[in-house]
Amino acid sequence: MRNNKILCVALLAAGVCVASTGYAALNGAYTTAQVGVAGLGFNDEGPYFHFALGDQLNHYFAVEGGVTAIPTTSGGGSGFLSDGVAHLYSLDGDVKAMLPLDDRVNLYAKAGPSLAYFKKDYGDDHLGVMANVAVGVAFNVTEHWTTDFSVGAMVGDGAGVSTMQLGLGYHFA
């Protein structure tokens, strides 16, 4: 059942991306919002929300700062999350590298640190540092609007969370 849900999300994302037509996104300030699923290897997954502000320096590099909320991640024998349900909230900073395939599509990878706060249903709350990584494909719908699909992970401080998300972005330039 869970694999069917992941497959449906992936097919929906692929459909949106394939239907996208447009132009190269402009350099400069942008914002992006993503929704998806997160979990320990996608077992007992829960919702994933991410919002970021960024600056696209050129067609190949950008920097982002954002917030992530994973309100329900179940434990599965992975360190800090192993004894119940944890809620993860983080402040993220990422460096993003992009590879334009044409004027509408680019592949990207981003990585950076996250200051993560775990609020547990059972046990003590915890503040820690994690690494945040993601790879994805972005489609320029218009000169200002983009959509993307990515997979990623947040790892560190005795926990690891896998993510899969669909996003929408706006370039202000």
Side-chain angles (χ1 to χ4, degrees):
M1 181 68 153
R2 293 190 191 281
N3 288 337
N4 290 339
K5 190 182 329 179
I6 292 171
L7 179 62
C8 287
V9 169
L11 289 175
L12 176 64
V16 168
C17 294
V18 168
S20 298
T21 60
Y23 313 92
L26 300 172
N27 295 342
Y30 66 91
T31 184
T32 183
Q34 297 176 314
V35 297
V37 294
L40 303 169
F42 298 117
N43 293 322
D44 300 320
E45 74 267 1
Y48 169 93
F49 304 99
H50 179 74
F51 177 78
L53 294 173
D55 186 12
Q56 184 169 325
L57 306 172
N58 56 41
H59 291 303
Y60 304 102
F61 295 102
V63 292
E64 291 183 358
V67 294
T68 299
I70 303 173
T72 54
T73 300
S74 296
S78 175
F80 185 75
L81 302 176
S82 64
D83 60 351
V85 175
H87 311 278
L88 186 147
Y89 304 96
S90 70
L91 297 174
D92 312 314
D94 292 320
V95 174
K96 183 176 183 180
M98 298 165 289
L99 176 63
L101 299 180
D102 63 21
D103 64 346
R104 296 180 293 181
V105 181
N106 70 60
L107 301 176
Y108 69 87
K110 61 183 182 176
S114 293
L115 180 60
Y117 171 72
F118 297 94
K119 179 172 176 33
K120 294 175 61 174
D121 286 351
Y122 303 100
D124 297 328
D125 295 350
H126 182 73
L127 185 64
V129 176
M130 300 181 81
N132 180 34
V133 297
V135 294
V137 59
F139 298 86
N140 302 315
V141 180
T142 69
E143 188 174 50
H144 294 280
W145 289 97
T146 62
T147 184
D148 69 271
F149 176 74
S150 62
V151 294
M154 295 179 75
V155 181
D157 206 23
V161 179
S162 301
T163 64
M164 180 173 53
Q165 54 271 349
L166 179 63
L168 183 64
Y170 182 80
H171 287 250
F172 295 103

